[in-house]
C-alpha cells in the first residue's frame, strides 16, 4: 500500500507539473505552483525531485501513464497492426494537446547529450513491455512476420516514433504530429506484415 501511495504522489506531481508547463510555460512555473496543483507537500516534492529541472526527465512517465490508460480501452480483438497504430495516434494526440513543443525539443536534445540515463530507451518502461506483448501476440496469431524477432520490431517501432517526434520539433510543429504519423507510420511498418503466398506483403495497414 505504501508503495502504491508513493507512486500516486509522484504521479500527481508529474501530471501537475506538465499541465502547468503547457498552460503557462516552463520558465513561468514555480515549484510552489506544482506543489499546490498536485495537492502534495513541499517535503513530498523534494523527496522525489531535486527541483523543477528534474521534472524534465519525467516526460516518459507521462507517456507510460497514457499507455496504461490506453491498455484499458484497447479492444483485445483489434488486429495487431491496428493496435500499434492506435497507440501511436493516441500518444501523439496527447503530445499535441498537452506538451509544449519547446519542452519536447528540450527533452529530446538532452537525451542526445546526456551521460546519464536515457529515459526514452529504458526497456523496463511500460511502453516497451506493452509493445513486446502486442507484437509477440501478433506473431503467434500469424498477423506479423516470423522473419523478424520481437525485439527487432519493437526497436524499429520505437525508432520510427522518435524520428517522427524529432522531425516535428525540427519543423517547429508547423503540422499535426498525429495526422502526419497516421500517413507515414503504416509505410514504415509495412515490413512487419507477413508475406502472402505470392511474395507480397499483406495489405492490412488501413
Amino acid at each position: 500500500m505504501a508503495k502504491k501511495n508513493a507512486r500516486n504522489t509522484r504521479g500527481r506531481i508529474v501530471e501537475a507539473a506538465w499541465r502547468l508547463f503547457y498552460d503557462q510555460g516552463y520558465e513561468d512555473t514555480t515549484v510552489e505552483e506544482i506543489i499546490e496543483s498536485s495537492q502534495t507537500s513541499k517535503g513530498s516534492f523534494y523527496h522525489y525531485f531535486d527541483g523543477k529541472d528534474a521534472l524534465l526527465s519525467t516526460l516518459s512517465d507521462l507517456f507510460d501513464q497514457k499507455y496504461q490508460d490506453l491498455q484499458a480501452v484497447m479492444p483485445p480483438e483489434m488486429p495487431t497492426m491496428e493496435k500499434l497504430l492506435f497507440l501511436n495516434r493516441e500518444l501523439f494526440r496527447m503530445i499535441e494537446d498537452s506538451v509544449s513543443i519547446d519542452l519536447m525539443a528540450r527533452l529530446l536534445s538532452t537525451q542526445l547529450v546526456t551521460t546519464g540515463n536515457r529515459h526514452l530507451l529504458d526497456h523496463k518502461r511500460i511502453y516497451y513491455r506493452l509493445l513486446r506483448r502486442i507484437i509477440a501476440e501478433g506473431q503467434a496469431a500469424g498477423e506479423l512476420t516470423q522473419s523478424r524477432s520481437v525485439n527487432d520490431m519493437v526497436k524499429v517501432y520505437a525508432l520510427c516514433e522518435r524520428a517522427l517526434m524529432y522531425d516535428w520539433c525540427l519543423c517547429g510543429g508547423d503540422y499535426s504530429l498525429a495526422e502526419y504519423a497516421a500517413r507515414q507510420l503504416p509505410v514504415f511498418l509495412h515490413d512487419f506484415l507477413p508475406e502472402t503466398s505470392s511474395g507480397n506483403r499483406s495489405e492490412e495497414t488501413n
Side-chain angles (χ1 to χ4, degrees):
M1 181 64 72
K3 189 174 182 180
K4 183 178 180 180
N5 288 338
R7 284 199 302 269
N8 288 342
T9 299
R10 186 180 186 279
R12 289 205 311 275
I13 293 171
V14 170
E15 290 180 12
W18 283 95
R19 185 169 59 251
L20 288 167
F21 293 163
Y22 184 79
D23 289 342
Q24 59 192 45
Y26 176 79
E27 299 298 339
D28 293 330
T29 297
T30 66
V31 169
E32 288 72 22
E33 287 174 319
I34 295 170
I35 291 169
E36 180 180 358
S37 180
S38 62
Q39 297 182 328
T40 55
S41 66
K42 193 170 185 179
S44 293
F45 180 91
Y46 285 105
H47 175 74
Y48 295 107
F49 304 104
D50 294 334
K52 189 173 69 170
D53 288 350
L55 282 156
L56 289 175
S57 66
T58 65
L59 188 56
S60 57
D61 295 49
L62 203 65
F63 290 174
D64 279 355
Q65 181 58 56
K66 181 64 174 180
Y67 288 118
Q68 281 190 311
D69 295 341
L70 291 174
Q71 285 185 79
V73 298
M74 186 167 56
E77 68 277 6
M78 182 183 285
T80 302
M81 188 60 73
E82 288 186 23
K83 287 180 179 178
L84 295 174
L85 297 177
F86 168 77
L87 291 175
N88 170 262
R89 180 175 65 251
E90 295 303 315
L91 177 73
F92 279 12
R93 282 176 177 170
M94 186 204 79
I95 290 172
E96 289 187 281
D97 292 341
S98 59
V99 181
S100 79
I101 192 167
D102 290 340
L103 283 182
M104 174 62 74
R106 186 182 299 195
L107 170 74
L108 294 174
S109 65
T110 58
Q111 291 289 281
L112 287 173
V113 299
T114 183
T115 56
N117 185 17
R118 286 182 166 82
H119 306 282
L120 295 180
L121 297 180
D122 182 0
H123 284 256
K124 295 179 182 178
R125 287 179 54 202
I126 292 170
Y127 172 70
Y128 286 103
R129 296 202 304 268
L130 178 58
L131 288 178
R132 284 194 293 269
R133 178 174 64 78
I134 290 173
I135 290 173
E137 290 174 352
Q139 276 192 328
E143 295 178 8
L144 297 181
T145 181
Q146 298 290 331
S147 65
R148 305 182 72 154
S149 70
V150 170
N151 286 339
D152 178 48
M153 286 190 280
V154 168
K155 182 176 181 179
V156 169
Y157 180 91
L159 182 153
C160 290
E161 285 204 319
R162 290 197 304 274
L164 288 163
M165 288 190 289
Y166 272 106
D167 190 64
W168 183 63
C169 290
L170 283 172
C171 294
D174 61 0
Y175 55 84
S176 167
L177 175 62
E179 290 179 10
Y180 186 69
R183 295 194 301 272
Q184 298 302 323
L185 199 57
V187 179
F188 296 156
L189 304 184
H190 188 62
D191 284 347
F192 284 18
L193 296 173
E195 293 186 358
T196 63
S197 57
S198 63
N200 297 320
R201 296 285 175 181
S202 171
E203 300 295 334
E204 295 182 5
T205 57
N206 294 325

